[in-house]
Amino acid sequence: MAAAVSNAGGLGILTGLTQPTPDALRAEIRRCRTMTDKPFGVNLTILPALIPADYDAYARVLAEEKVTLVELAAGSPKKYTPMWKAAGVKVLHKSATIRHALKAQEAGVDIIEIVGYEGSIAGGQPGDEVGAWVLLAKATSMLKVPVVAAGASGTGRQLAAALAMGAQGVTMATRFLCTVEAPIDQKIKECMMRPEVDERQTTIVLGTLSNATRVFKNGVSQEIRQIESKGDVDFSEVMPLASGSRTKKMWQETGDTQDAMWSCSQSLGLISDIPTCKELLRRMVSEAEERLNRGAQCIVAKL
């Protein structure tokens, strides 16, 4: 999927922790290089309490393989940024709040990805429920490093708005799930594009564990919310429902969108077809150009 996005003109991102070991990630990076000669990046989400992993080893692989960019989420970039930058790797920090963005900038990252509450990373913890419209305006006025917008993006109109507000572009995840190249069961894509599956078909889980995540609204996510409503929840109580293996089975085997917790943003309400990655990006760029040109026409010269 990362290669398909890069070949289409975007910057594809591999998900590091979908690989079971650092060596498996190294192999996946090298496999991706056989599928594209374009730049691509790797996401590394650091959640040791929820996902036990040898994060130091994963981080070393990214430096040794000299990937174009690391998209770091959840954890502080301070520990790994010097190693990555010494290897020529650009560091992007995924920040759901302005305070995290400022700390990431201080730690030396190259780019901030500011994530609104509409996105699948929904604020992080209680009190951080702020949408992209406010976060992006604040980030582009306060930060010195380049900013990209994240949180339910899926159209050229949104790309135009982000550029007009001072961002360098947008990132997308949910929208790319509903493309021809996405390696998931076709039934999931058909579900995502149905008119009744709109921006209201998501909910927030894991907020009590300081890892608020926007997911598809189904029986599994509603059960997680019920468990969390009791207060003082340990992850072990929701693990059978939130486990990655359960979600992986949905993506690759059953296609049953009602039988797993799966992340998605409110961009569900913007999806009505299953294009190729190239068709999607070309359409977005064309629409963004049209909107920016229309906006420019609103400027009236002062006499």
Side-chain angles (χ1 to χ4, degrees), residues 92-93 95 101 104-105 109-114 143 145-148:
L92 177 153
H93 189 265
S95 303
Q105 177 179 259
V109 305
D110 299 288
I111 308 169
I112 296 293
E113 179 183 347
I114 200 75
L143 298 172
V145 299
V147 173
V148 293

Side-chain angles (χ1 to χ4, degrees), residues 26-46:
R26 189 190 306 277
E28 186 68 5
I29 291 168
R30 294 180 179 181
R31 187 174 79 92
C32 193
R33 286 181 173 141
T34 69
M35 301 169 71
T36 183
D37 59 358
K38 305 294 192 299
F40 62 90
V42 179
N43 169 278
L44 184 61
T45 299
I46 299 178

Side-chain angles (χ1 to χ4, degrees), residues 21 228 260:
T21 66
E228 289 191 90

Side-chain angles (χ1 to χ4, degrees), residues 12 57 133 193 205 227 232 254:
W133 194 244
M193 64 177 284
V205 297
I227 294 171
D232 196 23
T254 68

Side-chain angles (χ1 to χ4, degrees), residues 217-230:
K217 187 185 293 183
N218 57 21
V220 175
S221 57
Q222 295 298 83
E223 188 173 348
I224 292 173
R225 285 179 59 87
Q226 288 176 1
I227 294 171
E228 289 191 90
S229 69
K230 301 173 185 177

Side-chain angles (χ1 to χ4, degrees), residues 6-152:
S6 290
N7 285 334
L11 180 70
I13 303 288
L14 293 172
T15 306
L17 293 184
T18 58
Q19 304 305 314
T21 66
D23 283 341
L25 175 58
R26 189 190 306 277
E28 186 68 5
I29 291 168
R30 294 180 179 181
R31 187 174 79 92
C32 193
R33 286 181 173 141
T34 69
M35 301 169 71
T36 183
D37 59 358
K38 305 294 192 299
F40 62 90
V42 179
N43 169 278
L44 184 61
T45 299
I46 299 178
L47 290 169
L50 303 183
I51 309 173
D54 187 350
Y55 291 102
D56 289 353
Y58 278 96
R60 282 195 301 272
V61 166
L62 301 181
E64 291 165 1
E65 291 298 316
K66 299 183 185 298
V67 297
T68 300
L69 175 141
V70 174
E71 180 190 53
L72 185 69
S76 168
K78 187 178 296 185
K79 182 177 183 179
Y80 301 123
T81 293
M83 175 179 65
W84 287 332
K85 296 190 78 168
V89 177
K90 296 295 184 184
V91 182
L92 177 153
H93 189 265
K94 202 165 188 173
S95 303
T97 69
I98 294 297
R99 67 180 183 278
H100 288 125
L102 289 169
K103 288 179 180 178
Q105 177 179 259
E106 186 179 349
V109 305
D110 299 288
I111 308 169
I112 296 293
E113 179 183 347
I114 200 75
V115 188
Y117 189 59
E118 308 92 332
S120 57
I121 295 180
Q125 61 189 34
D128 290 334
E129 301 89 353
V130 182
W133 194 244
V134 171
L135 279 179
L136 184 57
K138 197 167 183 179
T140 51
S141 66
M142 292 181 66
L143 298 172
K144 297 177 182 178
V145 299
V147 173
V148 293

